[in-house]
Amino acid sequence: AQKITQTQPGMFVQEKEAVTLDCTYDTSDPSYGLFWYKQPSSGEMIFLIYQGSYDQQNATEGRYSLNFQKARKSANLVISASQLGDSAMYFCAMREGLQGAQKLVFGQGTRLTINP
Amino acid sequence: DSGVTQTPKHLITATGQRVTLRCSPRSGDLSVYWYQQSLDQGLQFLIHYYNGEERAKGNILERFSAQQFPDLHSELNLSSLELGDSALYFCASSVSGGDGYTFGSGTRLTVV
């Protein structure tokens, strides 16, 4: 069963606009963590933001914020004031549980293109 | 530099051959995870080691094996290589089982 779903294979946004990348997840574990990674064309995986299932507030890191809606099981990434350098693949990932094997499960990714 | 070192960065080899990918985790991290990223399968979890012990296996083929050494570096061995094994192989490390994960820059394997 698909645990992380990113429904937008590609998105095109004008520079300086805000953009929301969708992510829904599926888990029966009450303890989990949600991550967003950026993968530019050079290939490296860059950590952007983290949200824990028990966190009361939505996570923010600079221009990145995570719109966490627990009841809907969604964890959308919001990028404010997009820049040309934001063009990349973006992956949503989930870690289930707090103990034991805690691998990350990734979604299929969204390719974001920022147009000047 | 993320602190996780993967070597080599690029590898081109023929079908049927065997290769070894190496990962040095970030200082202090005990967990190493291996992932395979291919165009058709996305990012797939292969295996997780914690302080030298295997903790979890994902979609890892029998032709693939891994180990983590006492100095905590890890190696992923790929044998009897097929064209379909061409992919970007990442390792990631974390302090314990599930805190922040730091990825290496990957090894791009091309099987010809």
Side-chain angles (χ1 to χ4, degrees):
Chain A
Q2 186 70 26
K3 296 209 168 194
I4 295 285
T5 302
Q6 295 181 252
T7 57
Q8 306 152 310
M11 285 193 70
F12 295 83
V13 173
Q14 286 299 117
E15 190 181 7
K16 300 182 184 177
E17 289 184 351
V19 56
T20 297
L21 305 182
D22 295 342
C23 173
T24 57
Y25 60 92
D26 182 29
T27 181
S28 57
D29 195 321
S31 301
Y32 53 90
L34 297 157
F35 301 76
W36 278 92
Y37 284 85
K38 172 184 178 181
Q39 186 179 39
S41 56
S42 52
E44 71 267 32
M45 296 288 285
I46 302 168
F47 167 74
L48 295 179
I49 197 165
Y50 166 78
Q51 180 86 41
S53 60
Y54 296 117
D55 293 343
Q56 294 297 312
Q57 293 189 326
N58 287 344
T60 61
E61 290 285 349
R63 294 187 299 112
Y64 304 108
S65 60
L66 200 152
N67 184 2
F68 182 44
Q69 298 188 45
K70 197 169 183 176
R72 297 180 61 184
K73 294 188 175 180
S74 75
N76 298 339
L77 176 71
V78 180
I79 306 174
S80 63
S82 58
Q83 303 170 356
L84 296 178
D86 294 332
S87 294
M89 281 290 288
Y90 289 80
F91 291 95
C92 179
M94 178 174 66
R95 175 209 75 213
E96 288 180 304
L98 294 174
Q99 302 295 330
Q102 299 174 25
K103 64 183 184 292
L104 284 178
V105 176
F106 285 86
Q108 288 298 102
T110 295
R111 182 171 298 280
L112 176 64
T113 303
I114 307 298
N115 295 315
Chain B
D1 182 7
S2 68
V4 177
T5 304
Q6 286 190 250
T7 56
K9 292 194 183 306
H10 301 277
L11 198 49
I12 302 174
T13 191
T15 53
Q17 295 298 305
R18 171 189 171 95
V19 297
T20 298
L21 312 184
R22 181 187 171 103
C23 170
S24 294
R26 199 177 51 169
S27 178
D29 286 358
L30 301 178
S31 271
V32 171
Y33 307 79
W34 285 97
Y35 287 85
Q36 179 194 55
Q37 184 179 27
S38 59
L39 286 175
D40 55 344
Q41 294 290 323
L43 269 156
Q44 297 289 315
F45 167 71
L46 295 178
I47 199 163
H48 168 210
Y49 277 86
Y50 175 77
N51 202 22
E53 293 186 2
E54 180 186 304
R55 280 294 181 89
K57 264 186 175 179
N59 299 322
I60 187 166
L61 300 171
E62 286 191 10
R63 300 183 285 108
F64 296 1
S65 65
Q67 53 184 328
Q68 186 179 28
F69 295 87
D71 67 351
L72 300 178
H73 91 272
S74 178
E75 292 181 356
L76 179 67
N77 300 297
L78 315 176
S79 62
S80 302
L81 285 167
E82 303 175 359
L83 296 177
D85 298 327
S86 296
L88 187 53
Y89 291 84
F90 284 106
C91 90
S93 73
S94 69
V95 172
S96 61
D99 292 338
Y101 304 80
T102 303
F103 280 78
S105 57
T107 293
R108 188 170 296 279
L109 173 66
T110 303
V111 182
V112 297

